Amino acid sequence: MELPKQYKKKWITALRSGIYDQEDGALYNCGNFCAIGVALHACDDISIENLDGIHQVSDLESNLTDAEYRAIPREIRKGDLQDYVIDLNDNERYSFNMIADYIEENVIAR
């Protein structure tokens, strides 16, 4: 699993910042974010309005321009990294700090 170097760094920093409250089951809901929602908000500048109530990254495609959607790294839009982080957040109930540790240790910066 890989991410652009600056994206990985920014995501980890955002997860550890303490400014995001954790949610499960949606990218954003009532002031709370899932770990993927944090990436989209902090790294891709996706607005809260576009994230609100969305359950899967693929559902964002209709809320964003084609260029905005394609700017999201493929690993965040679909695939093993997205699936694994969702599982850690929603099912395993990892804290954002624990998810940041996982990303730091297991995702290659390119």
Side-chain angles (χ1 to χ4, degrees):
M1 293 181 281
E2 297 182 357
L3 279 175
K5 183 179 180 178
Q6 289 304 320
Y7 196 99
K8 177 183 172 182
K9 181 179 177 180
K10 198 170 184 180
W11 189 14
I12 290 168
T13 299
L15 287 168
R16 290 184 175 146
S17 71
I19 63 171
Y20 293 96
D21 293 320
Q22 199 162 1
E23 165 73 30
D24 62 64
L27 299 174
Y28 174 86
N29 187 39
C30 298
N32 302 315
F33 293 80
C34 77
I36 297 292
V38 171
L40 295 167
H41 186 255
C43 302
D44 294 301
D45 296 321
I46 307 294
S47 71
I48 289 171
E49 293 79 17
N50 283 327
L51 295 173
D52 195 18
I54 300 293
H55 298 283
Q56 300 206 8
V57 177
S58 60
D59 296 337
L60 278 174
E61 196 166 8
S62 63
N63 290 3
L64 305 174
T65 67
D66 189 53
E68 288 171 324
Y69 185 74
R70 293 194 182 281
I72 300 167
R74 180 182 46 80
E75 298 84 355
I76 300 297
R77 285 185 278 139
K78 61 182 176 182
D80 293 341
L81 178 59
Q82 180 203 66
D83 294 343
Y84 199 74
V85 169
I86 289 171
D87 184 57
L88 293 177
N89 188 91
D90 293 0
N91 300 320
E92 299 297 323
R93 307 284 187 186
Y94 274 39
S95 69
F96 281 164
N97 281 326
M98 293 168 67
I99 293 170
D101 290 345
Y102 171 82
I103 294 165
E104 190 170 55
E105 295 168 11
N106 296 286
V107 176
I108 298 167
R110 60 171 193 263

